[in-house]
Amino acid sequence: MAQEAIQKSRIIVWFRDDLRLHDNPTVHAAATKVKSKQAAEVVPLYCFDPRHFGTTPHGSKKTGNYRAKFLLESVQDLKQNLKSIGSDLLIHMGQPEEALAELANVEQKTTILLQTQITSEELSVEAKVKRALKGKAQCETVWGHTLYHPEDVPYKLDMSDLPDTFTPARHKIEQHAEVRAALPTPQQGELPLPDGLPKAMLECNPQAVEDLNAVVPKGCQQLSSQELNEHAVHRFKGGETEALARLKYYLWDTDLLAKYFQTRNGMLGGDYSTKFSPWLAHGNLSARTIYHEIKKYESERKANKSTYWVIFELLWRDYFRFFTQKHGNKLFAEYGITGKKLRWNEDPAAFQRWKDGQTGLPLVDANMRELKQTGFMSNRGRQNVASYLVLDMGVDWRKGADWFETVLQDYDVCSNWGNWVSAAGLTGGRINHFNITKQSKDYDLEGEYVKTWIPELKNVSSKRIHEPWLMSQSEQQQFGVSIGQDYPAPIPSSQLVRPHGSPEGGRNPNGGRGRGGKRGHGRGGRQNDRHRTQPRSEYERFG
């Protein structure tokens, strides 16, 4: 009888944001159970859940067109990779509780393996799944998001003693924790697929973004394929195959890794940063795999500040997930972790100007147009547009986080919302109020980036490109642009809400001294801040 039970035991691997086979703890757990005779068959499943394609609290698509395309490509690639080892991916166009209840046959002992989630929407779906199963299967969660496993970091498992600032947490983790070895990729036959599976799920294989409209709830905005702007920094394609190719390219084919620290604040081109983030966000690429490849690179080629700094960025990503685990839904609350009540700018036109790249501040507008037309923005850009929206315009930070959730290809719930609540100054750390004009001159001195995304200003001289409102009428005629008509004038200082008040010693973001005061200069202060070797603030990396 015991042998018969083993033969009938089924594992369902429920994929969500872990769309890969390499170093996937959930997949590895399934293969291990088969190998140890605890299960006889493995059913991989992905569900295009309608709840992911509805409308956000602020009226935007929950998943925008660019991310939908990347997600679809990731699922397609996973299906192909599973087929290559004798398995397959079942795809359900609907809620996971429907599919899992159907696949959990009462005649079999069924275990559902899924990656551990910590945020409310994901946990709510898991609760609905358990209710729908009615005891027909048990769920086992496996941790897999982070570089460091939470059991290995020197804090409690619920992260209740994690510092609310990054630097002390980083130092302690680096001193007392080690990164675990990457798990092996399953081989041919290690995930045996049973016969008799639902034909509709087995044959489901959406090919175009428009095919996902089958799960867009009634009354919500439909998805559509978008033409990628010719100036996009990278033509991202979802999937583990592309992710591993990018890793190889960035480290071994080009040695770009060895220059990362010097190039990371760029905004133009495909190689100023790793561009790993979309693949990390969808689970196409494992943080541990990146880490161990870097360690191999350091051993075989070069170890320097740049090679360390990529690992440093991965630790930032870990930190925001651990931070979310500690604070839960406070991460999404209007007044953040601190609960400090702020006065917001309720003018919808102001927020729309920001979304459309029509604020009159070229650096902000160029970045917002890039985001809208490509689904991507540099880290440098994200910091500046967030600072301006919240700390100058005074718009509720949650609207910015919500818009990023819609548009970004590399949207990650913890990194996105954690960075936005930090940008709003609602985590208890230092408030980083940026001088946008100084940032523009520091990181786009000749205005090449601005002119790429704001063609109205393409003929403006480098002297005026970051402060076009200062042009005289004759200069406007000379450069072929009328401020206030062809390109907007900036929002007057009198209309900037500034929920935390004006930065001490600072002027408005349309020019002038750096931000900061006695506690430090933030990002817009010291002339030499770009050359500092320490993280500039607790808000070093965005996503």
Side-chain angles (χ1 to χ4, degrees):
M1 289 295 293
Q3 183 63 32
E4 183 180 348
I6 290 171
Q7 289 175 350
K8 289 186 177 180
S9 295
R10 169 176 288 187
I11 298 289
I12 301 173
V13 178
W14 175 18
F15 288 94
R16 291 184 288 179
D17 55 357
D18 54 343
L19 301 173
R20 68 179 185 275
L21 297 183
H22 78 272
D23 190 37
N24 187 324
T26 310
V27 171
H28 180 72
T32 300
K33 287 179 182 292
V34 171
K35 193 173 184 178
S36 62
K37 308 297 185 185
Q38 297 177 59
E41 56 191 46
V42 178
V43 181
L45 171 71
Y46 183 82
C47 301
F48 285 100
D49 190 339
R51 286 168 290 222
H52 295 164
F53 298 92
T55 302
T56 70
H58 297 284
S60 300
K61 293 178 182 177
K62 183 77 171 168
T63 300
N65 295 322
Y66 292 114
R67 185 151 53 87
K69 175 179 179 291
F70 194 99
L71 171 62
L72 178 59
E73 291 166 347
S74 300
V75 172
Q76 291 170 335
D77 187 67
L78 178 62
K79 187 175 180 71
Q80 286 303 118
N81 290 341
L82 282 163
K83 282 185 171 182
S84 73
I85 60 169
S87 182
D88 204 341
L89 180 67
L90 276 69
I91 298 174
H92 177 61
M93 305 296 283
Q95 295 178 343
E97 50 264 46
E98 303 164 349
L100 290 163
E102 181 177 353
L103 293 171
N105 195 309
V106 291
E107 297 178 0
Q108 294 176 296
K109 178 187 175 184
T110 303
T111 301
I112 300 169
L113 293 174
L114 60 154
Q115 183 165 252
T116 303
Q117 301 286 351
I118 59 172
T119 42
S120 55
E121 290 182 5
E122 290 73 18
L123 294 176
S124 173
V125 172
E126 289 180 22
K128 289 180 172 65
V129 165
K130 289 174 183 177
R131 287 196 294 272
L133 289 171
K134 299 178 180 178
K136 291 195 295 182
Q138 62 178 6
C139 293
E140 291 184 13
T141 59
V142 186
W143 188 271
H145 280 103
T146 52
L147 176 62
Y148 289 93
H149 195 286
E151 292 176 358
D152 300 334
V153 301
Y155 299 108
K156 296 177 181 177
L157 276 177
D158 64 0
M159 299 296 159
S160 57
D161 55 342
L162 181 79
D164 283 341
T165 50
F166 173 68
T167 300
R170 172 177 69 90
H171 287 319
K172 195 169 181 179
I173 290 172
E174 288 179 333
Q175 290 169 8
H176 298 287
E178 291 186 4
V179 177
R180 296 183 180 184
L183 299 169
T185 302
Q187 301 301 306
Q188 183 74 30
E190 291 185 350
L191 301 175
L193 192 72
D195 295 326
L197 292 170
K199 186 176 180 181
M201 293 190 211
L202 200 56
E203 294 183 355
C204 182
N205 192 14
Q207 295 296 303
V209 169
E210 287 79 5
D211 294 341
L212 302 185
N213 285 322
V215 297
V216 173
K218 187 177 180 180
C220 295
Q221 296 179 64
Q222 296 279 292
L223 294 163
S224 61
S225 299
Q226 298 290 114
E227 282 293 325
L228 193 64
N229 188 285
E230 62 178 329
H231 300 301
V233 295
H234 191 81
R235 304 191 82 82
F236 292 104
K237 184 178 181 181
E240 178 178 20
T241 303
E242 290 288 330
L244 293 174
R246 177 66 186 183
L247 179 62
K248 178 178 177 290
Y249 169 84
Y250 196 81
L251 273 64
W252 302 104
D253 295 347
T254 62
D255 288 311
L256 288 165
L257 173 64
K259 300 183 290 185
Y260 172 76
F261 188 81
Q262 288 74 37
T263 64
R264 76 195 193 287
N265 283 310
M267 292 182 286
L268 281 173
D271 292 340
Y272 64 78
S273 68
T274 68
K275 304 296 187 297
F276 295 157
S277 58
W279 292 293
L280 280 165
H282 289 79
N284 299 162
L285 185 61
S286 149
R288 285 195 304 220
T289 296
I290 297 172
Y291 173 87
H292 288 297
E293 279 296 300
I294 290 174
K295 288 300 176 183
K296 182 181 178 184
Y297 181 94
E298 289 179 331
S299 174
E300 296 183 10
R301 291 196 183 173
K302 180 185 287 188
N304 61 13
K305 189 171 187 176
S306 290
T307 58
Y308 164 73
W309 215 259
V310 175
I311 296 171
F312 172 92
E313 311 291 15
L314 292 173
L315 188 46
W316 256 115
R317 179 175 174 270
D318 278 16
Y319 176 75
F320 275 120
R321 188 156 292 269
F322 296 152
F323 184 82
T324 304
Q325 190 168 4
K326 174 182 179 178
H327 291 290
N329 281 340
K330 283 186 178 180
L331 189 77
F332 311 103
E334 180 176 0
Y335 303 121
I337 310 305
T338 65
K340 179 181 178 180
K341 289 187 172 15
L342 300 175
R343 179 173 64 94
W344 300 121
N345 180 350
E346 301 293 346
D347 180 10
F351 180 54
Q352 193 65 46
R353 284 184 68 170
W354 178 83
K355 283 173 59 176
D356 292 341
Q358 294 288 338
T359 67
L361 290 186
L363 183 67
V364 172
D365 292 345
N367 274 285
M368 294 307 297
R369 294 182 190 192
E370 179 187 12
L371 175 64
K372 197 170 188 178
Q373 295 176 48
T374 71
F376 191 81
M377 187 194 296
S378 69
N379 170 65
R380 177 59 47 186
R382 299 183 201 202
Q383 296 174 64
N384 277 278
V385 301
S387 174
Y388 185 68
L389 179 72
V390 182
L391 303 182
D392 286 309
M393 296 178 75
V395 173
D396 184 341
W397 66 274
R398 295 173 301 168
K399 293 182 179 180
D402 180 273
W403 180 241
F404 270 33
E405 178 174 349
T406 296
V407 185
L408 281 175
Q409 294 191 60
D410 63 1
Y411 171 73
D412 172 281
V413 58
C414 299
S415 293
N416 183 66
W417 288 85
N419 270 301
W420 270 99
V421 73
S422 298
L426 293 172
T427 61
R430 184 171 64 189
I431 299 172
N432 292 291
H433 199 159
F434 286 43
N435 180 318
I436 303 300
T437 301
K438 183 183 183 302
Q439 288 276 302
S440 304
K441 294 177 179 178
D442 280 352
Y443 297 101
D444 187 31
L445 182 60
E446 299 299 321
E448 183 183 2
Y449 175 75
V450 164
K451 292 179 182 182
T452 297
W453 291 104
I454 308 180
E456 307 96 294
L457 302 179
K458 65 182 179 180
N459 295 322
V460 176
S461 68
S462 58
K463 178 182 176 181
R464 293 301 196 200
I465 188 63
H466 301 300
E467 299 170 289
W469 57 88
L470 296 180
M471 287 192 292
S472 65
Q473 285 299 319
S474 62
E475 285 177 311
Q476 292 181 46
Q477 290 177 357
Q478 177 187 352
F479 300 133
V481 59
S482 176
I483 300 303
Q485 294 184 22
D486 302 321
Y487 182 70
I491 298 170
S493 222
S494 60
Q495 295 179 23
L496 297 176
V497 173
R498 295 204 178 112
H500 290 283
S502 294
E504 187 176 356
R507 296 178 183 167
N508 78 64
N510 306 342
R513 292 196 301 277
R515 309 283 178 183
K518 294 178 182 178
R519 294 189 63 199
H521 292 68
R523 288 301 189 92
R526 300 173 183 166
Q527 290 292 330
N528 64 347
D529 69 348
R530 68 190 297 181
H531 303 297
R532 292 165 65 194
T533 58
Q534 295 300 315
R536 297 178 181 83
S537 72
E538 293 304 330
Y539 181 45
E540 171 72 25
R541 300 305 291 179
F542 203 122

